[in-house]
Amino acid sequence: MITDVLEIFAPYGPGSLFGALLVLVALYFGKQFLEEFKAQNERKANIDMKREERKQDEVNERAQRDRERSQMEGRIAAQMERSNTLIEGMKTLMESVVTSNEVLHADLVNSQARSQGMAAQVEHIRDRVDLLYDKEHNS
């Protein structure tokens, strides 16, 4: 087989045999280089793809946290609104109680004045009755 190859290149001289060997070696190493280059590019692509997936995961997590924060802020705002409504209701109730107490106090003062007036009338009636009683017993 080697002699067949030598016979093919014999008319062209030893330089052409060496040139053909050099081309074959260059093709072999070129193929190896291309395969390694493709493998390197695939690794870089995989790394880039994983990096992009991580970035996308981070973006999704951030969006989820933002949604949860927005929901929490909405619940807090609603709770604060309910609290404010309750506080306003309590203020109204307290104002009503104060007004009611003032009315009751005024009624109490009026009632005390009437009671004193009635007490004076009862005292007057008692004095009259005593006077009449004394006149009947003394006469």
Side-chain angles (χ1 to χ4, degrees):
M1 177 166 156
I2 294 179
T3 56
D4 292 337
V5 172
L6 289 177
E7 287 178 9
I8 294 174
F9 287 102
Y12 305 109
S16 60
L17 178 63
F18 181 71
L21 275 175
L22 192 60
V23 167
L24 288 175
V25 169
L27 287 176
Y28 175 77
F29 285 114
K31 181 181 175 188
Q32 293 293 331
F33 175 77
L34 285 176
E35 288 175 4
E36 183 60 32
F37 184 74
K38 286 179 184 178
Q40 186 71 18
N41 281 343
E42 286 177 13
R43 282 192 294 269
K44 285 181 182 178
N46 286 339
I47 290 171
D48 289 343
M49 187 172 59
K50 288 178 183 177
R51 183 180 302 129
E52 289 301 318
E53 287 174 358
R54 279 196 310 269
K55 285 181 182 179
Q56 187 61 42
D57 289 344
E58 289 174 3
V59 167
N60 292 341
E61 287 175 13
R62 204 172 306 125
Q64 179 66 25
R65 282 194 307 268
D66 289 346
R67 281 191 297 275
E68 289 172 356
R69 185 179 310 117
S70 294
Q71 290 173 350
M72 183 62 73
E73 288 171 354
R75 286 192 293 264
I76 289 170
Q79 185 63 35
M80 288 180 70
E81 186 65 31
R82 285 191 294 270
S83 295
N84 289 340
T85 302
L86 287 174
I87 288 171
E88 288 300 318
M90 291 295 284
K91 284 181 183 178
T92 304
L93 180 62
M94 288 302 294
E95 289 171 0
S96 173
V97 167
V98 167
T99 304
S100 177
N101 282 344
E102 289 172 353
V103 169
L104 288 173
H105 181 70
D107 285 347
L108 178 63
V109 168
N110 189 22
S111 176
Q112 285 175 341
R114 283 192 342 230
S115 293
Q116 288 173 356
M118 286 191 290
Q121 288 175 353
V122 167
E123 186 72 28
H124 179 68
I125 292 170
R126 199 185 94 199
D127 288 343
R128 295 281 179 177
V129 168
D130 283 346
L131 233 140
L132 288 173
Y133 184 72
D134 285 344
K135 279 186 185 180
E136 279 185 20
H137 281 18
N138 288 338
S139 31

